[in-house]
Every structure is written in C-alpha cells, then in structure tokens.
Amino acid sequence: MSIRSNIARFLTLVLALAGAMSACARGPAAPEEGAVPRRETYAVEAYQVRLRQPVEMLAEGRKITVSEVVELRVTAQRPIPAQALDPVLMVGERPVTEYRYEAPNVLVFTEPVPAKLPARAPVSFQWGQGPGAAGRQPTGFTFERSKLERRVR
C-alpha cells in the first residue's frame, strides 16, 4: 500500500471518530415533535426495618440517631442511570431523598422518620426536587403503614 492510501484511510478514520464523538457530546437525538417519551415502569416494595445498630441520618437538615426506618425498594425494568439531579421518591407530598443503589436497576430509599410518611399515600418517582424537578411519574404503589413487612438489618 502506498503512503497516500494509508493517509487517506487514516483521515477517513479520524473523521468518522470525530463525527461519533460529536454525536455523543450532543447526547441523544431530540424526540420527534409530538412524540411521547417512553416512561419507565417502577415496582415498589416497602418494609419497616429495625436496625441492629442505631445509625445517624439526616432528617430535614438535622442529624438524628435512628434504630427503625422505612425502606422503599424501587425496581425498574432497565438500569437507573446516575444523573445531575438525584432521584426522589414522593410518598404523597413527602419527598424521600436518602437512597442507595442495590443493583443497576434497583434503588432503596430510606425514610428515617417513618411517622412522617402519610397513610394510604400514592408513591411516585422523579428526578430532583423543587422547581427543577423532572417529571413526577406514578408507580401505581400506595404506601400503607399497616401492611409493611418487618425486617431486621
């Protein structure tokens, strides 16, 4: 092969990579006008958890020591990506913001003050809180304190 053909192949490869990097930097293509974005389906389970050892947690901006919490386990069909806005689980109008990843498609939200969760409240999932919150999505799950399975962790 000649140097000229090697240079041509190299430049073709560089241009293809530059185009791919540019597409990645722009992110996914905008949906077509009028298209409805696909919504994720979430399954929710709730547990009353007695902790073997009390832990310190934040509750409304203060550190408190807790020995019993409510955990809400959210499972999605696909991996739940990390984003700029944190995931928030809304129980009625009560935001539950303490969470951990249990698996790529499972988040476990922890409410350190179980008494603050409203009875018979619908549970929804969203990204962020306040004015920047993105799309509250109902999960179809209703929080009922009387039906919580008890666990020890």
Side-chain angles (χ1 to χ4, degrees), residues 19-145:
M21 289 174 63
S22 175
C24 287
R26 284 192 305 271
E32 293 178 27
E33 191 171 327
V36 177
R38 180 175 169 193
R39 301 199 55 121
E40 184 64 70
T41 302
Y42 300 102
V44 180
E45 302 168 78
Y47 306 98
Q48 184 80 33
V49 180
R50 176 163 294 283
L51 303 171
R52 288 188 179 99
Q53 296 291 320
V55 296
E56 282 191 345
M57 294 185 76
L58 280 178
E60 298 173 356
R62 310 182 329 254
K63 269 189 180 180
I64 62 171
T65 302
V66 298
S67 57
E68 197 162 305
V69 298
V70 166
E71 288 186 345
L72 298 128
R73 187 174 190 267
V74 177
T75 304
Q77 295 170 324
R78 298 177 290 181
I80 302 170
Q83 296 191 25
L85 298 174
D86 281 331
V88 176
L89 203 63
M90 299 295 295
V91 179
E93 294 302 312
R94 171 84 177 167
V96 181
T97 58
E98 185 72 30
Y99 71 95
R100 70 181 186 277
Y101 277 89
E102 188 172 271
N105 67 320
V106 179
L107 291 173
V108 178
F109 290 86
T110 304
E111 172 54 57
V113 187
K116 297 268 183 161
L117 293 173
R120 293 179 297 285
V123 175
S124 56
F125 181 87
Q126 67 186 41
W127 292 98
Q129 293 186 76
R136 188 183 285 197
Q137 185 176 340
T139 64
F141 182 81
T142 300
F143 176 77
E144 294 191 43
R145 188 179 331 279

